[in-house]
Amino acid sequence: GGAGETTVAVYAAASLSEAFEDLAARYEAANPDVEVRLNFAGSARLAAQIGAGARADVFASANGATMGRVAAEGRTAAPPALFARNRLALVVPAGNPGAVTGLRDLSDDSLVLAVCAPEVPCGALARAVLADAGVDADADTAETSVRAVLTKVMLGEADAGLVYATDVAAGGDKVAAVPLGPQTRFNDYPVAAVSDRAVAAHFMDFVLGPDGRRILSDHGFGTP
Amino acid sequence: MSRRPPVGVLAMAGVAIGVLGLPLVGLLQRTPWSSLGATLGEAATLEALRVSAVVSLAAAAVSVMLGLPLAWVLARLPFRGRALVRAVVLLPMVLPPVVGGIALFFALGRRGLIGRALQNGFGVDTLIGTTAGAVIAAAFVAMPFFVITAEAGLRQLDPRLESAAATLGAGRWTVLRRITLPLLAPSLAAGATLSWARALGEFGATITFAGNHPGRTRTLPLAIAQANEAGQPEAAIAMSVLLIAVSLVVLVGLRHRWLAPRRRWPEPSQEIPSP
Amino acid sequence: MSRRPPVGVLAMAGVAIGVLGLPLVGLLQRTPWSSLGATLGEAATLEALRVSAVVSLAAAAVSVMLGLPLAWVLARLPFRGRALVRAVVLLPMVLPPVVGGIALFFALGRRGLIGRALQNGFGVDTLIGTTAGAVIAAAFVAMPFFVITAEAGLRQLDPRLESAAATLGAGRWTVLRRITLPLLAPSLAAGATLSWARALGEFGATITFAGNHPGRTRTLPLAIAQANEAGQPEAAIAMSVLLIAVSLVVLVGLRHRWLAPRRRWPEPSQEIPSP
Amino acid sequence: MSIHAEIQATVGGFAIRAAFDAPAGTCTAVVGPNGAGKTTLIHALAGLVALERGKIVLAGQVVDDPARRRRVPPERRPIALHSQHNLLFPHLSVADNVAFGPRCSGLAARAARRRAEEWLEKVGLAEAAGLRPAQLSGGQAQRAGLARAAACQPEVLLLDESLAALDAETRTDVRHLLADLSATRVLITHDPVEARLLADQLLVMETGEIVQAGAPEEVAANPRTPWTAGLLGVNLLSGRAAGTEVALDCGLALTTATPMTGPVLVAFSPAAVTLSTAEPHTSARNTWEAEVGRVQPEGDRVKVFLGPPAPCRVWVTPQAVGELGLEAGSRCWASLKATELTVRQA
Amino acid sequence: MSIHAEIQATVGGFAIRAAFDAPAGTCTAVVGPNGAGKTTLIHALAGLVALERGKIVLAGQVVDDPARRRRVPPERRPIALHSQHNLLFPHLSVADNVAFGPRCSGLAARAARRRAEEWLEKVGLAEAAGLRPAQLSGGQAQRAGLARAAACQPEVLLLDESLAALDAETRTDVRHLLADLSATRVLITHDPVEARLLADQLLVMETGEIVQAGAPEEVAANPRTPWTAGLLGVNLLSGRAAGTEVALDCGLALTTATPMTGPVLVAFSPAAVTLSTAEPHTSARNTWEAEVGRVQPEGDRVKVFLGPPAPCRVWVTPQAVGELGLEAGSRCWASLKATELTVRQA
Ligand SMILES: Nc1ncnc2c1ncn2[C@@H]1O[C@H](COP(=O)(O)OP(=O)(O)OP(=O)(O)O)[C@@H](O)[C@H]1O
Ligand SMILES: Nc1ncnc2c1ncn2[C@@H]1O[C@H](COP(=O)(O)OP(=O)(O)OP(=O)(O)O)[C@@H](O)[C@H]1O
Ligand SMILES: [Mg+2]
Ligand SMILES: [Mg+2]
């Protein structure tokens, strides 16, 4: 917008990058005098940067715990709000070489299975879903990022992976999703203003508002 | 003493080249050549390339400027705790880059050891999102390579040559300029190349300490990682190929003797060809 | 020619030590010493330490075993394309580690260049989650350091000494064992140390190519990154301190001359103390 | 072990071309100006420089013959070399340096060590056994290098200016040490006395070629180039002979005892020339007046350089210098008996 | 520029202790066995080895005085040094090596280059100007190193065995070059002829100390140690004098012309001894029978080593060797005039 008389620094989790690039573009179109500066990285990294005094205005985390820590340190200007919801998906490489038909098959030790580490949200979600289904799956790798799981499946190096539903599209025709049926567990994404500048609250309202919801749902996110 | 090397040696060298080279061949083979042009033509890619060039060159320059005196002190000044300092110099290599980034916060962040000094003295509020921060992060991980290489070179130098220069009337700086540095040139070039290459590939410390800001701190590795995260593996690979191509051009372009000490003896094979 | 160095040099060296050392000091200062014991006592931490030790040592060993012949070929065997091979050897340094991991898949993965050969020949289905995979990933990024350092050392060697040994009746292997390698020892030690340190700190290629499997591929850097992602920065810092401590012990413990060429001349300062 | 060598080789653009034979157990001295190719020659013998053509045969065994693609590597030639640069191994003690060759020949560590100590003793370096090469003085390093080569007890020992840095006393001792070796020796030296004392055969090298070879006295008596003549102290002038008259290129005419025709070399000893202040009237057939150049005392005699018409050197006693008032720039008469002249076709 | 030096210094555990004066423009030769500390001495003069005590004064200016913490660094001393090891800069061409000193003294590149070319010409290396040091032969490298030091046109020139690798002819030329320099020169040499020809003053060093100093002829006439005597060719025996009778330690009694008492050194020239097969009956006061050791031709004379009772060297003519049938193991009579003996308090 314009020469960028005002800027708003938005720190967003890497898995939100496509959605937030769209959000930023739309926001700049609606507010020509504001320039959105995006910084994408893992939630924990962003939290560390904010903790170290980065000039961030808005923080969108993929991880409630991380946001909780930032809030606990008193770095948020307003209470966090949940703005997006994600479901778990089971993906297999195109052609499904491991002949995976559902969660049950994941207990097969000869399968190369990639999931997230239990300490990160997608891992916690995966573990809970597997437990609910009563499946005792031994993962070959516990990734710290969902995209790392997806990468391994896309390359055919893993026979199956548990990722977020929003990631399936990113796999294009290299991966196929195996239907999981109705789910009761989700991961919800919080967003918070971390500066008390008016533009921070304004951008946050935009994300939570109807335009924001539509863009997020275009990218596969649900509403919490 | 240069005869055809034993077959075993050649075989092992071949395996080594395979280990190092095959992944690159694989990368090239899977490169989406059709969409390559599009990705590389994108403004964002070119911007990342520019940031990478600036940051890696600046980091290499900082490494040389600060690293050379440090190497000199380590090689030539006997002092207590020299072994400790030398080990500390190596530590950034050992530290996972993320931890390196966090450690940089502890030192230079607003609440870091000299954060307040930076703020008051230089008006530096935060290094996050600044190219300076990216350069510092890259230099932090890249400098050790230069220091180690330059120190080894300095130690290998025959100090009698420097003494000889002094007896011919050369002062300290003349000796440095006309004898020490030229004789050291191969080591310096090798060290600078190593640290440049390390800075060019640097990812973890940069994204942690300086953030991922397009046009300022988003270098090619950050752009690659983000493309990968954003589900655009083709773009990631295309940019990797770009990175490789740039590196190859630079590395091959540097006269190859720069990467290795200048010959002081005739190439052995000239004297003793294999029968 | 060793007199007290100019103040400028000392100052610059000081800045360099600051850049490299301050972050470590910051890290130590912020270390949660009270909970340190608890974190370090955890079985998972010790397991990660063990995996780190195994993987880094194995990677360093592979680097030396394969890297030495390669260095020898690069230094002594004139052939076309030598500059290209030397540049390719450097590329793993430039590649962002994640891309390095992906490239390794392209070479050694199930659908990689020699993946089928591995599968049929060695029954290797996948390297994900295997220590072998972690070693390969670490060696891939660590070997260049050894090769570059060893090659520089080899080039700096006076080949006339090897010829002299031959005229005294020493065969090829005797020359290698009793002259070349001992004279090269400082470079070899430095190169091995550099590549060990690089392997110890390796993260990206390992987690991408070999995955993060406790007890098999989860090295300390992976455990640190995971703790960090999981919102346990204290645990991450505690483990980083452990990594630093281990490295320091090893690096200081190595006789410091190993990191630098053995003296062939009297320590200069003995001859010319400052006035 | 006899040596038969026909060598053509090139280092860095400089070519040598030399052939010689050395019977087993003899000593061959190689002399010649700096840069003549002496070091290159013995490097070729040792196998450090490859032949382009020719061959090297040791006791009937061909060790180098590029035409037949035969080439025994240095370590399998029964040869040891002491380099002009010593090239001691910096990481080994002096004793270990000297024991290196014996160890390579298969001797056990202890026996090799004993052999090393013997040789160090012989070259007067017993006390330095434990030192590193960097701790030796120049002459000590040279002795260590020499001991290292000799301790191999090779059939052929190549010595490149091995006595140059030794003090005068040690040099004499080592010279006798070398004279007593049974190995076939080839030694490079710039010291004519050393060459004459040690050598059974003298090779004179200039610009890559052997310009003269023979027993030292023979070469001294019949030097074929001015360099050789100068080295061995003989005066050598060129001219054209017609019967017993030789018109020297410098203008002077000399009478000789040997009738010849065409271009010749005339050689005469510096001691054969008599100087006087007035024109002499003796039986000497050749007399001329000359200007005195340098007057240079050497040991117990004085070398006088005469200028034109016939530049030459003359040895006189210090007394004569005083009595005749010889000094640079003065004039004197030289006389030379025809029988003192050696004349050879050029 | 005059030199006044009182030097105490240590390198790697070896201590030297030496004091001497050299008037401006003179040449001082330092001789002594290998490892005596000669190189260390001139390194101290050049400032490469620190003094522990003593001082070095050049033309009245103190350049080194540890007691007053004064120490002029090597580059600001008006001294140039040619090292025993040449130490040419491997990355510079021969011409650039030689031009290095002139450049440091502030000469413009072009002028320095000209100066370098002049000196290369003087040492006969004009054609090698463009080569790298690694492409030179041993003697060529030594000439380049010498030219490099001389091209500094220093007030004091230190030369460490600078002629050792030169061929005989070049050596004579360079000797004259050195003799003509106006710099105060200190040169280390193992060549007694060189020392005698070049030096105004001779310093004899042994085990770190100057054991004798003086004009060469003076030292030759009165050598104070067997090494010096040996170097200069004089025989030296020790004993106790009582009047004109000296009881040598070896058992023999000699008559001298100089009455003395107590421990003495007796010196005599090898030429002063006459040998014969039967007991001689001449005016010579001292005669003894001895066994012949080595018989060693040297140039136009032969050196005969006599064994007990009085080990000494004798010069005779080759004819005498033949006539007397001198060979190792034979016996002969030696006679020596009392007036030929020099006796000094030990
Ligand atoms: N760096 C060193 N460490 C130990 N000893 C040394 C060192 N440098 C010299 N020395 C010893 O000092 C002594 C004197 O050495 P110096 O080089 O002065 O002898 P020199 O008189 O020049 O002998 P040469 O005639 O052989 O050149 C030698 O015995 C040598 O072993
Ligand atoms: N590597 C090289 N590159 C170029 N020229 C060389 C090389 N090595 C030797 N030469 C040339 O070859 C010639 C002969 O050298 P060599 O060492 O055989 O001489 P030398 O007779 O031993 O002389 P010196 O008496 O000075 O030791 C020299 O003119 C030298 O310049
Ligand atoms: Mg030579
Ligand atoms: Mg010396």
Side-chain angles (χ1 to χ4, degrees), chain D residues 32-35 84 137-140 143 161 164-172 175-176 190 197 227 230-231 294 296-298 300-301 313 315, chain E residues 32-35 84 137-140 143 161 164-169 171-172 175-176 190 193 197 227 230-231 294 296-298 300-301 313 315:
Chain D
N34 294 134
Q84 194 165 10
S137 77
Q140 289 168 338
R143 296 188 207 175
E161 302 186 25
L166 302 188
D167 64 62
E169 194 138 87
T170 309
R171 193 175 304 188
T172 310
R175 201 189 281 153
H176 285 281
H190 290 305
L197 286 182
W227 194 90
L231 173 78
R294 255 187 257 143
Q296 180 178 309
E298 270 186 24
D300 53 1
R301 63 197 178 193
R313 300 150 207 220
W315 289 338
Chain E
N34 293 135
Q84 195 164 9
S137 77
Q140 290 168 337
R143 295 187 208 176
E161 302 187 25
L166 302 188
D167 62 64
E169 193 139 85
R171 193 176 303 188
T172 310
R175 201 190 281 154
H176 286 280
H190 290 305
V193 175
L197 286 181
W227 194 90
L231 174 78
R294 256 187 257 142
Q296 181 178 308
E298 271 187 23
D300 54 3
R301 63 198 177 192
R313 300 152 208 217
W315 288 338

Side-chain angles (χ1 to χ4, degrees), chain A residues 36-74:
Chain A
V36 180
R37 290 195 169 170
L38 292 165
N39 179 21
F40 296 119
S43 302
R45 276 206 180 107
L46 296 174
Q49 288 168 5
I50 291 166
R55 296 203 156 278
D57 293 307
V58 175
F59 176 36
S61 170
N63 184 336
T66 306
M67 179 63 85
R69 270 201 326 282
V70 172
E73 285 174 22

